[in-house]
Amino acid sequence: MTSLPATVPPTSSFSYSVVNECAGLVSFSSSSANAVSLEWDFGDNSSSNESTTTHQFSSSGVYNVRLVAINELGTDTLEQSISLNLVNTPTVENSNSCTPSSLNLSASTNNPDATINWFDAASNGNLVYSGNNYTTDLLNNTTTFYV
């Protein structure tokens, strides 16, 4: 099979979807035409050459994501701005007691729009409370809560 040379310059095009904004995970897909290679620049000193890729941003902000489509006749660049508001892990103050008692637990986050949820298991747990300050029922055993 013989590859024919390009007869038209490339046209850069891409779409993206935020997979998990809290974690900064974004999926990108090139729909560029007539490109023999691609160069992604995610605006955070990271890059890729894949046509479909997922990238994790490490902090909140506006990122100018650039895709360059390349062939023998030239390049075409498309840039889109992506705004992400990552939620930082809540800060939790530990409490303990050596006698049966109720405890006041507190957690906070830097995101004023975030809701802090308290669970009875690390994954697939039951929601026991929503809010920054949780006063437990009487605890007779060692109990762990997850935020």
Side-chain angles (χ1 to χ4, degrees):
M1 176 181 243
T2 305
S3 292
L4 298 174
T7 58
V8 294
T11 304
S12 183
S13 178
F14 72 90
S15 60
Y16 69 90
S17 65
V18 177
V19 177
N20 184 332
E21 185 167 11
C22 291
L25 201 59
V26 181
S27 176
F28 296 91
S29 181
S30 170
S31 51
S32 300
N34 308 310
V36 294
S37 65
L38 301 168
E39 295 177 0
W40 292 96
D41 176 350
F42 298 111
D44 64 352
N45 296 319
S46 298
S47 61
S48 175
N49 292 35
E50 303 294 323
S51 62
T52 300
T53 186
T54 300
H55 181 68
Q56 187 164 19
F57 295 89
S58 62
S59 60
S60 297
V62 176
Y63 295 90
N64 294 317
V65 177
R66 183 179 309 126
L67 176 63
V68 180
I70 304 164
N71 75 12
E72 297 84 4
L73 297 179
T75 64
D76 186 51
T77 302
L78 175 65
E79 185 173 296
Q80 294 187 45
S81 293
I82 298 173
S83 179
L84 295 173
N85 186 18
L86 280 62
V87 176
N88 291 344
T89 304
T91 303
V92 179
E93 294 180 24
N94 290 325
S95 294
N96 56 54
S97 174
C98 295
T99 60
S101 64
S102 177
L103 294 175
N104 294 316
L105 306 175
S106 64
S108 61
T109 180
N110 68 332
N111 184 342
D113 298 325
T115 300
I116 294 178
N117 292 321
W118 299 81
F119 296 91
D120 61 3
S123 63
N124 298 319
N126 298 306
L127 177 65
V128 295
Y129 185 77
S130 288
N132 291 26
N133 299 304
Y134 171 43
T135 301
T136 70
D137 292 330
L138 181 67
L139 302 173
N140 292 309
N141 300 313
T142 299
T143 306
T144 302
F145 294 96
Y146 301 86
V147 176

